[in-house]
């Protein structure tokens, strides 16, 4: 199939990107153009004891509102919409009954309330795991449940042990992707990447991911509560008539399985060839690359796992909070709603932060920020870590604080580079950056200076998930092939390391590592036995 056949507007996809901050819907062409898009925010609920939840109906309403708005804005002939495909946040757990009614709020990927349950369940002498269970998990799945409690394996145990009435009424446990697909088609299905962190599937052949009886038995969860597995590129059904009516879409509009955000962004970045890496900067962040086989690095918490491309795996190194640090800075420090606030909310405040950071020297005049607001995953899986600012003096200003936040995320990303290169068995000379953070030219340059490699910024980097979902749909509907994708991505700019700034950031990175080594034991003793997150509910949007 030739790329030139993909450039028209006769085959359009309604792509959905549900992140932690809200839902974006986009009308996409198969050559990667976004004809229109709309976004609706969703509240994040922080609870005592390291809990993090969202209301599934908020997701659905945000989808309906954003989809209607995007379709209207596009002005397209809606008969040209060939399919709908979703990309969503992962590691989310929604218990639903047989009618698809959610039985409680969704337990999010940040939620750590199940840590005690998963630790007891997996417990043993090998880094906190039973040696036999750990071997079986890694052998079959490529990974193992996080002892931080941040994935569905822990979420389900949390619900079973602390919400037994909900557990008994649960027909299926769904991830965010599965929930949207259920609302779109009425079918209870999951994809290999969506079910991954329930840790109950045999992933040794990414073309045929299936439930493993031994893992199901070891999970302590009723096997009947897991949904059917379909491939990301499978057509899972027809859009329900009532949804088609609300969106004014043709009867018979097809819904393709889709993927969680990491897999969609990997495709949307254009980095689909083996070993080509991309960096995603959103609420959280990650470095990912497609690889031909399953592999696990237990020490650095990196694994290659099933993804949206049939027959391939996706290596992912995850950073818990990235853009969330800027939301924290904006909402809790700079514009916190208290009696000190003396100005109206500034529209597009992140561009203001960019201008301030651009005029501040590299290294933030010696001010160093550690971005561990909610623990960390890679290269250290440690839920006790917390954010901090070190070396603050009377000589510093708000300008230094703002740049230090941007540099702190970049330093943490550099921390992941070495284990990523070891995993891939190659040195990274360039990386494609996508997500909301990639819209910042200043941040792109900071990443280049800090990591010491070329950073490639595509056009519309914030649309990578939607673009990836559209291409997954195109592949699933037989309208294009994976091999078309590298020629379709459009690079807006490349950022090469500035020699002077790189030298400064090399020194800051050395200090960053020293601080982690010295502070990690303090954080562990300080935070392991008590909830240190605020007891009040809050909302964060990025």
């Amino acid at each position: 199939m030739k790329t030139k056949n993909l450039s028209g507007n006769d085959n359009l996809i309604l792509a959905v990107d549900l992140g932690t901050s809200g839902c974006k819907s986009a009308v996409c062409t198969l050559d990667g153009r976004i004809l229109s898009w709309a976004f609706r925010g969703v509240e994040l609920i922080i609870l005592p004891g390291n809990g993090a939840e969202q209301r599934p109906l908020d997701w659905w309403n945000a989808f309906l509102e954003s989809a209607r708005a995007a379709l209207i804005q596009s002005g397209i002939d809606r008969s040209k919409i060939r399919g709908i495909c979703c990309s969503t946040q992962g590691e989310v757990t929604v218990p639903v009954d047989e009618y698809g009614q959610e039985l409680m709020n969704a337990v999010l990927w940040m939620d750590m309330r199940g840590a005690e349950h998963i630790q007891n369940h997996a417990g043993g002498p090998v880094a906190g795991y039973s040696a036999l269970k750990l071997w079986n998990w890694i052998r079959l799945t490529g990974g193992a449940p996080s002892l931080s409690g941040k994935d569905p394996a822990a979420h389900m145990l949390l619900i079973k042990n602390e919400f037994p009435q909900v557990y008994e009424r649960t027909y299926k446990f769904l991830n965010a992707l599965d929930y949207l697909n259920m609302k779109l088609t009425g079918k209870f299905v999951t994809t290999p990447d969506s079910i991954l962190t329930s840790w109950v599937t045999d992933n040794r052949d990414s073309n045929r991911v299936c439930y493993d009886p031994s893992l199901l038995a070891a999970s302590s969860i009723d096997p009947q509560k897991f949904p059917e597995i379909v491939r990301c590129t499978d057509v899972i059904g027809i859009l329900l008539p009532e949804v088609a009516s609300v969106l004014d879409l043709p009867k018979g509009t097809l819904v393709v399985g889709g993927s969680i955000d990491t897999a969609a962004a990997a495709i949307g970045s254009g980095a689909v060839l083996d070993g080509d890496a991309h960096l995603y900067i959103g609420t959280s962040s990650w470095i990912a690359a497609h690889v031909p086989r399953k592999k696990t690095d237990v020490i650095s918490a990196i694994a290659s796992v099933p993804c949206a491309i049939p027959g391939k795996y996706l290596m992912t190194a995850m950073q818990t909070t990235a853009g969330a640090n800027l939301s924290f800075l904006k909402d809790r420090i700079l514009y916190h709603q208290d009696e000190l606030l003396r100005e109206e909310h500034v529209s597009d405040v992140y561009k203001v932060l960019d201008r301030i950071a651009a005029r501040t020297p590299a290294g933030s005049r010696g001010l160093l920020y550690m971005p561990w607001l909610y623990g960390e995953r890679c290269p250290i899986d440690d839920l006790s870590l917390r954010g901090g600012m070190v070396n603050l003096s009377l000589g510093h200003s708000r300008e230094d604080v703002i740049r230090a936040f941007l540099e702190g995320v970049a330093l943490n990303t550099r921390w992941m580079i070495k284990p990523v290169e070891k995993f891939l068995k190659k040195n990274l000379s360039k990386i494609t950056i996508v997500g909301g953070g990639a819209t910042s030219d200043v941040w792109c340059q900071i990443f280049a200076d800090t990591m010491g490699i070329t950073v490639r910024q595509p056009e519309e980097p914030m649309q990578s998930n939607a673009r990836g979902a559209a291409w997954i749909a195109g592949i699933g509907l037989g309208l294009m092939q994976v091999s078309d994708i590298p020629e379709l991505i459009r690079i807006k700019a490349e950022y090469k390391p500035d020699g002077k700034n790189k030298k400064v950031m090399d020194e800051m990175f050395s200090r960053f590592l020293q601080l982690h080594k010295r502070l990690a034991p303090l954080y562990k003793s300080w935070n392991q036995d008590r909830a240190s997150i605020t007891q009040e509910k809050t909302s964060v949007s990025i």
Side-chain angles (χ1 to χ4, degrees), residues 283-502:
T283 302
S284 59
S285 72
W286 58 78
I287 298 174
H290 291 98
V291 294
R293 61 187 61 87
K294 182 174 76 69
K295 180 181 176 183
T296 304
D297 178 350
V298 176
I299 302 300
S300 299
I302 301 176
S304 55
V305 294
C307 61
I309 299 179
K312 295 292 183 180
Y313 293 85
L314 185 67
M315 176 228 72
T316 307
M318 181 72 72
Q319 180 177 338
T320 300
T321 52
N325 288 277
L326 294 192
S327 292
F328 174 82
L329 176 65
K330 176 176 73 75
D331 297 333
R332 296 301 192 89
I333 306 298
L334 300 179
Y335 297 102
H336 185 56
Q337 299 292 323
D338 60 18
E339 62 271 22
L340 295 179
L341 187 63
R342 289 291 182 268
E343 58 184 286
E344 295 294 326
H345 180 71
V346 178
S347 62
D348 217 353
V349 67
Y350 295 114
K351 289 187 177 180
V352 178
L353 300 185
D354 276 355
R355 291 200 298 270
I356 293 172
R359 65 174 182 254
T360 306
S364 305
R365 298 185 181 90
L367 188 60
L368 196 152
Y369 173 68
M370 294 159 291
W372 310 314
L373 292 180
Y374 221 86
E376 193 47 272
R377 294 187 178 188
C378 177
I380 301 295
D381 190 5
D382 187 349
L383 63 86
S384 69
L385 291 179
R386 293 293 179 265
M389 186 159 284
V390 177
N391 205 34
L392 184 66
S393 75
L394 290 174
H396 288 113
S397 67
R398 182 161 64 182
E399 285 85 351
D400 302 311
V401 172
I402 290 169
R403 186 171 181 106
F405 265 68
L406 295 173
E407 290 179 342
V409 175
L411 289 166
N412 206 74
T413 302
R414 174 172 171 175
W415 199 17
M416 297 191 291
I417 290 289
K418 186 174 181 180
V420 163
E421 291 179 332
K422 179 181 177 182
F423 192 100
L424 295 175
K425 296 183 179 179
K426 62 177 286 188
N427 292 328
L428 297 181
S429 60
K430 62 182 180 181
I431 196 165
T432 303
I433 187 169
V434 293
T439 61
S440 167
D441 297 347
V442 174
W443 214 356
C444 287
Q445 187 62 55
I446 287 174
F447 276 111
D449 295 340
T450 304
M451 295 188 294
I453 61 176
T454 298
V455 171
R456 302 167 75 238
Q457 180 190 46
E459 293 181 3
E460 299 184 292
M462 200 171 177
Q463 311 297 350
S464 60
N465 288 15
R467 187 181 296 115
W471 283 337
I472 292 170
I475 295 166
L477 295 171
L479 300 172
M480 62 182 295
Q481 301 172 3
V482 175
S483 58
D484 294 318
I485 293 175
E487 299 179 21
L488 299 175
I489 198 71
R490 302 172 178 87
I491 299 301
K492 174 186 175 184
E494 288 193 347
Y495 300 83
K496 298 184 181 300
D498 177 275
K500 181 180 178 181
N501 290 347
K502 181 182 179 301

Side-chain angles (χ1 to χ4, degrees), residues 101-216:
Q101 178 66 44
E102 59 275 10
L103 301 174
M104 63 180 287
N105 284 346
V107 184
L108 296 190
W109 56 271
M110 294 185 292
D111 195 297
M112 296 186 283
R113 290 174 294 173
E116 179 181 357
H117 301 296
I118 196 66
Q119 289 166 13
N120 291 337
H121 181 71
V126 183
Y129 295 90
S130 156
L132 182 59
K133 287 183 177 180
L134 181 62
W135 176 79
N136 204 37
W137 273 317
I138 293 176
R139 179 178 68 89
L140 294 171
T141 72
S146 169
L147 298 182
S148 67
K150 291 182 177 179
D151 56 31
H155 299 165
M156 290 183 289
L157 289 174
L158 169 73
I159 293 169
K160 181 178 181 179
N161 287 279
E162 299 187 23
F163 303 92
Q165 292 181 335
V166 171
Y167 180 82
E168 289 301 321
R169 294 176 58 200
T170 297
Y171 174 63
K172 299 293 182 184
F173 283 111
L174 303 179
N175 204 330
L177 175 65
D178 315 334
Y179 178 84
L180 285 188
N181 280 335
M182 182 270 296
K183 296 287 284 185
L184 290 168
T185 66
K187 296 187 177 181
F188 299 89
V189 297
T190 188
T191 59
D193 57 331
S194 180
I195 195 64
L196 170 70
T197 48
S198 293
W199 305 111
V200 290
T201 53
D202 183 342
N203 302 328
R204 289 176 293 180
D205 181 350
S206 66
N207 271 314
R208 291 183 303 208
V209 172
C210 59
Y211 290 112
D212 179 81
S214 68
L215 295 178
L216 286 169

